[in-house]
Amino acid sequence: MPRLMRRLALSRAKHPSLAGHSRMAKRVASWLPGYAYDEARFFAADGAPPEVAERRRQALLRLGQQLVQRCPKTLALTAQAREGLPDLQFTGAYRVPFQFSPLLRQHLQVGAFLEAADGVCVSDLDGNRYFDLTGSYGVNVFGVDVYRECIARGAAHVQALGPVLGGLHPCVASNVQRLQRLSGLDQVSFHMSGTEAVMQAVRLARYHTGKRHLVRFCGAYHGWWEDVQPGPGNPLPPRETYTLRDLHENSLQVLRTRRDIACVLINPLQALHPNRNAPGDSTLVDSSRQAGFDRAAYTAWLQQVREVCTERGIVLIFDEVFVGFRLGPEGAQSYFGVKADLVTYGKTLGGGLPVGVVCGRRELMKRYREDRPADLCFARGTFNSHPYVMGAMQAFLDYLETPEAQLMYLDLDQRQNLRAARLNQQLASAGLPVRVANLSSIWTVNYTQPSRYNWMLQFYLREQGLALSWVGTGRLIFSLNYTEADFEEVCQRFVAAAQAMAADGWWWQDERLSNRSIKRSILREMLAHRG
């Protein structure tokens, strides 16, 4: 009976969606049939009348032709590289919902190559300039020019040693001391990526607690390692991972009662979209995607998790690979006022070069036992503490202490919130079914009326000179060097893109169209193709 009750409590702590049930999500993913819309269905998947479908068809052809005319060199090299680069094949196929993807790729090509960057803009091989909203996947906090300088200064500083591995350049000692101060933790280890840093943090927690299971929260991303990415995309079934519900008492109850939990992983980015997977336009089958940040509520939640972990001897790990140094110069621990036992960093901390870092309490960072000399927690890597990476990191940490960097953090949240409100006001005034939500400088786009074509917005934004990552409008990342003038230009282009999309009929509305009816229609399609 106690075992049954623990199992029931675990089930109740999982989010009712597929995102909270990794095994079921994998079964559904394996069941999902692959099929594609023909041209007639592509332009009228929502039941739009023939004249609207024709307007959409003409718009798609116009967009495609315009990109070909603007970007011939960029598109040609992208097509050539795609044959030998599976990354491009994957991102191209999963840029939009799969039913639309094959026909879209025939008519609307997107270049993958860039030639230059400066300020808040990037340029492709054809000289087209775009406002950069990719944020280099989170690396670019301060602006690309800062990282270019960090890399140059770091390389010059370690040049005498060069790429000699094994021994440590003296800048490593400086980096350790500064990271100890920033994190408020005792010891530091260096790794080659954020994923590796998370792997080591979990391994250390298991080593020192003697327990196997880790808790992650519904929708959170912690890299592509198997134990922290247990759903679709991972060939192996979930094993030692519990995926629980964010912001829920039932999850706290599981932490209070189970005896097999080594650690709890927190990705503070989930504060923007709790219990939902990372947003991407490939999942925009309707308009039900929602995001919004409640700092007080998420802070209270983290405090509760901290208390329970302390009571139960569970290691609390903050995964700050993405948000570290973006929310503030001392990261999410300081931002939310909650202390972790282990913290992982990456991305921006490398000063523009690849890196992963674990900071932790002294007793948790130790990798061996004096009384059991063969009982080790091994973690090494050829390029750990690479001199050039450590040099660039030192330059980044130098910059972090400058008045220029500190000024960028001044009233950061207020500035970003006001900007988001300004864009939302412009969108509302124009009568457009689009809104933005933000966690500081990390933004996402929500849609306010049912539609099957929201994912088209990414291509209209590109036409207006706004560069997004391959996930589309799921995530817009602003570097902190965006001026008010830069942002106003982005606003104008964003609104113009949405207006053009509306004029081309993609947001046609019918009283019978709802998010529920859209999902039911897609389910019927899938069942028909399974048959």
Side-chain angles (χ1 to χ4, degrees):
M1 183 59 70
R3 183 178 179 183
L4 181 62
M5 294 302 293
R6 286 195 300 271
R7 180 63 204 178
L8 179 60
L10 182 62
S11 296
R12 293 178 62 202
K14 294 180 179 180
H15 196 266
S17 70
L18 283 176
H21 292 78
S22 301
R23 291 182 185 274
M24 183 58 69
K26 285 177 66 69
R27 292 191 188 101
V28 171
S30 66
W31 172 88
L32 193 69
Y35 62 96
Y37 292 152
D38 60 19
E39 187 165 314
R41 181 65 174 164
F42 183 101
F43 295 108
D46 54 356
E51 61 271 17
V52 174
E54 178 59 21
R55 201 188 327 161
R56 293 169 174 174
R57 191 180 73 84
Q58 293 296 331
L60 185 68
L61 293 175
R62 177 187 60 79
L63 277 171
Q65 291 168 0
Q66 191 173 75
L67 286 175
V68 168
Q69 292 168 2
R70 283 186 185 178
C71 316
K73 295 179 183 177
T74 307
L75 292 178
L77 189 58
T78 301
Q80 174 190 324
R82 186 181 293 113
E83 294 302 311
L85 196 58
D87 284 359
L88 289 183
Q89 297 167 20
F90 177 82
T91 56
Y94 285 89
R95 193 178 292 274
V96 302
F98 70 87
Q99 300 96 329
F100 296 95
S101 184
L103 187 64
L104 185 80
R105 280 178 278 155
Q106 290 179 28
H107 296 289
L108 198 55
Q109 301 294 316
V110 177
F113 286 88
L114 297 172
E115 191 167 57
D118 63 276
V120 295
C121 292
V122 294
S123 302
D124 65 15
L125 278 59
D126 299 278
N128 299 298
R129 283 174 63 80
Y130 305 87
F131 282 91
D132 183 10
L133 299 177
T134 70
S136 296
Y137 296 102
V139 173
N140 187 358
V141 173
F142 294 115
V144 66
D145 298 309
V146 168
Y147 297 91
R148 185 182 286 117
E149 179 65 19
C150 285
I151 292 172
R153 287 180 53 209
H157 185 58
V158 304
Q159 184 63 39
L161 179 62
V164 173
L165 306 177
L168 301 177
H169 189 276
C171 67
V172 172
S174 169
N175 291 342
V176 167
Q177 289 181 341
R178 293 160 90 173
L179 287 170
Q180 287 172 322
R181 289 200 304 271
L182 286 170
S183 68
L185 293 164
D186 303 318
Q187 295 188 350
V188 181
S189 66
F190 297 107
H191 305 275
M192 291 176 281
S193 70
T195 292
E196 281 195 12
V198 172
M199 291 170 66
Q200 173 63 352
V202 172
R203 176 176 278 198
L204 285 167
R206 286 170 165 165
Y207 178 66
H208 288 289
T209 64
K211 300 170 184 177
R212 298 186 341 190
H213 284 79
L214 66 90
V215 165
R216 63 189 284 275
F217 290 100
C218 179
Y221 181 73
H222 298 283
W224 52 264
W225 169 48
E226 287 169 357
D227 280 16
V228 297
Q229 199 260 320
N234 181 352
L236 293 179
R239 295 175 298 184
E240 281 84 34
T241 304
Y242 296 142
T243 299
L244 304 185
R245 199 183 314 199
D246 236 340
L247 300 165
H248 204 280
E249 174 60 34
N250 288 350
S251 298
L252 298 176
Q253 184 63 19
V254 168
L255 297 180
R256 289 190 187 101
T257 55
R258 295 195 71 93
R259 300 179 180 178
D260 57 352
I261 297 173
C263 58
V264 171
L265 274 169
I266 296 283
N267 184 343
L269 181 58
Q270 286 303 110
L272 181 57
H273 40 79
N275 294 310
R276 295 176 182 268
N277 289 327
D281 283 3
S282 63
T283 62
L284 274 179
V285 297
D286 61 8
S287 299
S288 58
R289 182 170 81 194
Q290 294 296 318
F293 175 46
D294 185 333
R295 184 171 180 175
Y298 200 74
T299 297
W301 162 249
L302 293 181
Q303 290 170 341
Q304 290 176 301
V305 173
R306 172 69 277 177
E307 290 172 6
V308 174
C309 287
T310 301
E311 292 169 8
R312 301 294 296 171
I314 299 170
V315 179
L316 179 60
I317 304 172
F318 271 21
D319 176 356
E320 297 198 38
V321 171
F322 196 100
V323 300
F325 309 100
R326 180 168 286 278
L327 300 180
E330 296 177 347
Q333 288 188 103
S334 175
Y335 185 83
F336 290 106
V338 176
K339 190 77 168 176
D341 301 307
L342 296 170
V343 180
T344 64
Y345 301 108
K347 295 190 184 290
T348 196
L349 182 56
L353 296 180
V355 74
V357 173
V358 181
C359 299
R361 292 183 4 231
R362 183 179 308 276
E363 63 271 22
L364 291 174
M365 294 292 284
K366 193 170 185 179
R367 304 181 189 180
Y368 62 93
R369 307 188 199 281
E370 299 280 4
D371 58 340
R372 298 287 188 274
D375 187 0
L376 308 174
C377 182
F378 189 80
R380 289 295 303 157
T382 300
F383 292 102
N384 289 9
S385 302
H386 190 288
Y388 284 93
V389 176
M390 292 296 103
M393 181 185 294
Q394 185 179 51
F396 172 84
L397 293 170
D398 287 341
Y399 180 79
L400 196 63
E401 296 175 354
T402 64
E404 178 185 352
Q406 295 300 312
L407 187 61
M408 289 191 188
Y409 287 120
L410 186 64
D411 297 323
L412 174 59
D413 272 11
Q414 181 182 9
R415 185 166 66 253
Q416 292 292 329
N417 293 344
L418 287 173
R419 287 177 176 180
R422 190 195 319 172
L423 178 53
N424 280 333
Q425 178 59 48
Q426 292 183 30
L427 291 166
S429 297
L432 295 165
V434 185
R435 299 292 184 273
V436 296
N438 70 297
L439 165 59
S440 192
S441 58
I442 306 163
W443 294 31
T444 193
V445 177
N446 300 325
Y447 301 90
T448 61
Q449 68 183 34
S451 175
R452 292 212 58 183
Y453 296 98
N454 293 321
W455 45 266
M456 275 297 299
L457 182 57
Q458 62 179 298
F459 303 106
Y460 282 89
L461 291 172
R462 192 171 189 86
E463 181 189 32
Q464 286 291 327
L466 302 181
L468 281 63
S469 70
W470 71 273
V471 300
T473 62
R475 187 158 289 152
L476 317 180
I477 307 173
F478 287 91
S479 52
L480 304 191
N481 62 327
Y482 264 84
T483 66
E484 289 302 307
D486 293 331
F487 182 73
E488 184 55 37
E489 183 67 25
V490 169
C491 278
Q492 292 177 13
R493 295 183 185 212
F494 196 106
V495 173
Q499 287 174 322
M501 181 168 165
D504 286 337
W506 299 104
W507 281 318
W508 169 85
Q509 279 297 290
D510 183 88
E511 61 182 11
R512 295 167 296 180
L513 195 66
S514 67
N515 290 330
R516 177 174 292 184
S517 68
I518 289 171
K519 289 176 179 175
R520 285 177 174 174
S521 172
I522 294 172
L523 180 58
R524 287 194 295 269
E525 287 176 5
M526 291 179 178
L527 291 172
H529 283 87
R530 282 288 295 180

mmCIF file of all heavy atoms in Angstrom, residues 52 64 67 92 126 168 209 227-228 231 233 246 263 272 291 302 327 364 377 391 399 403 440 465:
data_model
loop_
_atom_site.group_PDB
_atom_site.id
_atom_site.type_symbol
_atom_site.label_atom_id
_atom_site.label_comp_id
_atom_site.label_asym_id
_atom_site.label_seq_id
_atom_site.Cartn_x
_atom_site.Cartn_y
_atom_site.Cartn_z
ATOM 1 N N VAL A 52 -9.730 33.531 -50.757
ATOM 2 C CA VAL A 52 -8.713 33.710 -49.717
ATOM 3 C C VAL A 52 -7.547 32.758 -49.952
ATOM 4 O O VAL A 52 -6.377 33.143 -49.826
ATOM 5 C CB VAL A 52 -9.323 33.500 -48.315
ATOM 6 C CG1 VAL A 52 -8.233 33.533 -47.233
ATOM 7 C CG2 VAL A 52 -10.375 34.556 -48.023
ATOM 8 N N GLY A 64 8.493 33.884 -51.813
ATOM 9 C CA GLY A 64 9.550 32.996 -52.279
ATOM 10 C C GLY A 64 10.400 33.633 -53.358
ATOM 11 O O GLY A 64 11.644 33.562 -53.332
ATOM 12 N N LEU A 67 12.705 36.371 -51.871
ATOM 13 C CA LEU A 67 13.885 35.852 -51.187
ATOM 14 C C LEU A 67 14.939 35.361 -52.178
ATOM 15 O O LEU A 67 16.138 35.566 -51.978
ATOM 16 C CB LEU A 67 13.480 34.722 -50.231
ATOM 17 C CG LEU A 67 12.772 35.153 -48.943
ATOM 18 C CD1 LEU A 67 12.313 33.943 -48.149
ATOM 19 C CD2 LEU A 67 13.677 36.028 -48.076
ATOM 20 N N GLY A 92 15.378 22.774 -41.424
ATOM 21 C CA GLY A 92 14.490 23.097 -42.536
ATOM 22 C C GLY A 92 13.180 22.342 -42.466
ATOM 23 O O GLY A 92 12.107 22.898 -42.727
ATOM 24 N N ASP A 126 24.735 38.134 -49.444
ATOM 25 C CA ASP A 126 24.314 39.058 -50.489
ATOM 26 C C ASP A 126 24.257 40.500 -50.008
ATOM 27 O O ASP A 126 23.788 41.386 -50.737
ATOM 28 C CB ASP A 126 22.939 38.637 -51.011
ATOM 29 C CG ASP A 126 22.957 37.242 -51.602
ATOM 30 O OD1 ASP A 126 23.361 37.103 -52.771
ATOM 31 O OD2 ASP A 126 22.605 36.293 -50.883
ATOM 32 N N LEU A 168 47.486 24.180 -17.035
ATOM 33 C CA LEU A 168 46.501 25.262 -16.981
ATOM 34 C C LEU A 168 47.170 26.613 -17.167
ATOM 35 O O LEU A 168 48.229 26.879 -16.589
ATOM 36 C CB LEU A 168 45.773 25.249 -15.630
ATOM 37 C CG LEU A 168 45.008 23.971 -15.277
ATOM 38 C CD1 LEU A 168 44.417 24.095 -13.873
ATOM 39 C CD2 LEU A 168 43.909 23.695 -16.291
ATOM 40 N N THR A 209 24.847 11.595 -2.941
ATOM 41 C CA THR A 209 23.632 11.204 -2.211
ATOM 42 C C THR A 209 23.419 9.698 -2.213
ATOM 43 O O THR A 209 22.669 9.178 -1.378
ATOM 44 C CB THR A 209 22.386 11.872 -2.823
ATOM 45 O OG1 THR A 209 22.206 11.390 -4.170
ATOM 46 C CG2 THR A 209 22.507 13.389 -2.818
ATOM 47 N N ASP A 227 19.239 11.460 -19.813
ATOM 48 C CA ASP A 227 18.500 11.493 -18.557
ATOM 49 C C ASP A 227 17.696 12.769 -18.367
ATOM 50 O O ASP A 227 16.724 12.796 -17.617
ATOM 51 C CB ASP A 227 19.458 11.315 -17.372
ATOM 52 C CG ASP A 227 19.816 9.853 -17.162
ATOM 53 O OD1 ASP A 227 19.586 9.059 -18.080
ATOM 54 O OD2 ASP A 227 20.336 9.506 -16.086
ATOM 55 N N VAL A 228 18.100 13.870 -19.004
ATOM 56 C CA VAL A 228 17.368 15.129 -18.824
ATOM 57 C C VAL A 228 16.504 15.469 -20.031
ATOM 58 O O VAL A 228 15.833 16.493 -20.045
ATOM 59 C CB VAL A 228 18.334 16.302 -18.530
ATOM 60 C CG1 VAL A 228 19.067 16.067 -17.229
ATOM 61 C CG2 VAL A 228 19.308 16.520 -19.678
ATOM 62 N N GLY A 231 11.853 12.479 -23.365
ATOM 63 C CA GLY A 231 10.703 12.278 -24.237
ATOM 64 C C GLY A 231 11.083 12.058 -25.684
ATOM 65 O O GLY A 231 12.141 11.507 -25.988
ATOM 66 N N GLY A 233 12.657 12.432 -29.217
ATOM 67 C CA GLY A 233 13.999 12.912 -29.518
ATOM 68 C C GLY A 233 15.072 12.080 -28.848
ATOM 69 O O GLY A 233 16.241 12.120 -29.234
ATOM 70 N N ASP A 246 5.449 21.964 -12.786
ATOM 71 C CA ASP A 246 5.939 23.225 -12.245
ATOM 72 C C ASP A 246 4.843 23.917 -11.437
ATOM 73 O O ASP A 246 3.649 23.789 -11.739
ATOM 74 C CB ASP A 246 6.331 24.144 -13.411
ATOM 75 C CG ASP A 246 7.776 24.625 -13.324
ATOM 76 O OD1 ASP A 246 8.340 24.583 -12.226
ATOM 77 O OD2 ASP A 246 8.325 25.033 -14.354
ATOM 78 N N CYS A 263 18.489 14.673 -6.975
ATOM 79 C CA CYS A 263 18.592 16.097 -7.266
ATOM 80 C C CYS A 263 17.343 16.603 -7.969
ATOM 81 O O CYS A 263 16.580 15.827 -8.556
ATOM 82 C CB CYS A 263 19.817 16.390 -8.137
ATOM 83 S SG CYS A 263 19.840 15.495 -9.708
ATOM 84 N N LEU A 272 8.925 31.783 -17.894
ATOM 85 C CA LEU A 272 8.195 32.449 -18.981
ATOM 86 C C LEU A 272 7.056 31.588 -19.513
ATOM 87 O O LEU A 272 6.034 32.115 -19.948
ATOM 88 C CB LEU A 272 9.159 32.806 -20.113
ATOM 89 C CG LEU A 272 8.590 33.541 -21.329
ATOM 90 C CD1 LEU A 272 7.907 34.837 -20.928
ATOM 91 C CD2 LEU A 272 9.686 33.811 -22.355
ATOM 92 N N ALA A 291 2.328 32.338 -23.071
ATOM 93 C CA ALA A 291 3.499 32.577 -22.238
ATOM 94 C C ALA A 291 3.255 33.844 -21.432
ATOM 95 O O ALA A 291 2.501 34.730 -21.847
ATOM 96 C CB ALA A 291 4.757 32.732 -23.098
ATOM 97 N N LEU A 302 10.225 28.779 -6.264
ATOM 98 C CA LEU A 302 11.616 28.378 -6.079
ATOM 99 C C LEU A 302 11.978 28.328 -4.597
ATOM 100 O O LEU A 302 12.741 27.450 -4.171
ATOM 101 C CB LEU A 302 12.542 29.354 -6.821
ATOM 102 C CG LEU A 302 12.460 29.344 -8.344
ATOM 103 C CD1 LEU A 302 13.445 30.343 -8.939
ATOM 104 C CD2 LEU A 302 12.737 27.945 -8.907
ATOM 105 N N LEU A 327 19.847 37.684 -16.894
ATOM 106 C CA LEU A 327 18.902 38.308 -15.969
ATOM 107 C C LEU A 327 19.581 39.327 -15.060
ATOM 108 O O LEU A 327 18.937 40.231 -14.539
ATOM 109 C CB LEU A 327 18.218 37.246 -15.110
ATOM 110 C CG LEU A 327 17.403 36.187 -15.851
ATOM 111 C CD1 LEU A 327 16.786 35.210 -14.869
ATOM 112 C CD2 LEU A 327 16.330 36.831 -16.717
ATOM 113 N N LEU A 364 29.965 18.787 -2.379
ATOM 114 C CA LEU A 364 29.335 18.174 -3.551
ATOM 115 C C LEU A 364 30.262 18.122 -4.757
ATOM 116 O O LEU A 364 30.049 17.318 -5.671
ATOM 117 C CB LEU A 364 28.070 18.952 -3.934
ATOM 118 C CG LEU A 364 26.901 18.861 -2.959
ATOM 119 C CD1 LEU A 364 25.770 19.789 -3.398
ATOM 120 C CD2 LEU A 364 26.393 17.417 -2.860
ATOM 121 N N CYS A 377 34.156 9.725 -8.986
ATOM 122 C CA CYS A 377 33.131 10.313 -9.858
ATOM 123 C C CYS A 377 33.889 10.993 -10.987
ATOM 124 O O CYS A 377 34.243 12.169 -10.908
ATOM 125 C CB CYS A 377 32.275 11.313 -9.092
ATOM 126 S SG CYS A 377 30.950 12.042 -10.081
ATOM 127 N N GLY A 391 40.878 32.285 -21.727
ATOM 128 C CA GLY A 391 41.251 33.676 -21.989
ATOM 129 C C GLY A 391 40.040 34.519 -22.344
ATOM 130 O O GLY A 391 39.876 35.647 -21.856
ATOM 131 N N TYR A 399 34.863 42.429 -18.622
ATOM 132 C CA TYR A 399 33.847 43.327 -19.167
ATOM 133 C C TYR A 399 32.641 43.420 -18.238
ATOM 134 O O TYR A 399 32.049 44.493 -18.068
ATOM 135 C CB TYR A 399 33.406 42.863 -20.550
ATOM 136 C CG TYR A 399 32.353 43.771 -21.151
ATOM 137 C CD1 TYR A 399 32.703 44.981 -21.739
ATOM 138 C CD2 TYR A 399 31.006 43.431 -21.096
ATOM 139 C CE1 TYR A 399 31.744 45.830 -22.255
ATOM 140 C CE2 TYR A 399 30.034 44.271 -21.609
ATOM 141 C CZ TYR A 399 30.410 45.468 -22.185
ATOM 142 O OH TYR A 399 29.452 46.316 -22.679
ATOM 143 N N PRO A 403 31.787 49.750 -15.950
ATOM 144 C CA PRO A 403 30.592 50.610 -15.857
ATOM 145 C C PRO A 403 29.672 50.451 -17.060
ATOM 146 O O PRO A 403 28.445 50.528 -16.914
ATOM 147 C CB PRO A 403 31.190 52.019 -15.785
ATOM 148 C CG PRO A 403 32.565 51.829 -15.233
ATOM 149 C CD PRO A 403 33.037 50.518 -15.777
ATOM 150 N N SER A 440 12.459 39.379 -19.056
ATOM 151 C CA SER A 440 13.558 40.297 -19.301
ATOM 152 C C SER A 440 13.777 40.425 -20.812
ATOM 153 O O SER A 440 12.857 40.788 -21.543
ATOM 154 C CB SER A 440 14.822 39.826 -18.570
ATOM 155 O OG SER A 440 15.812 40.839 -18.568
ATOM 156 N N GLY A 465 13.324 42.305 -42.654
ATOM 157 C CA GLY A 465 14.686 42.496 -42.172
ATOM 158 C C GLY A 465 14.890 42.181 -40.705
ATOM 159 O O GLY A 465 15.764 42.765 -40.054
#
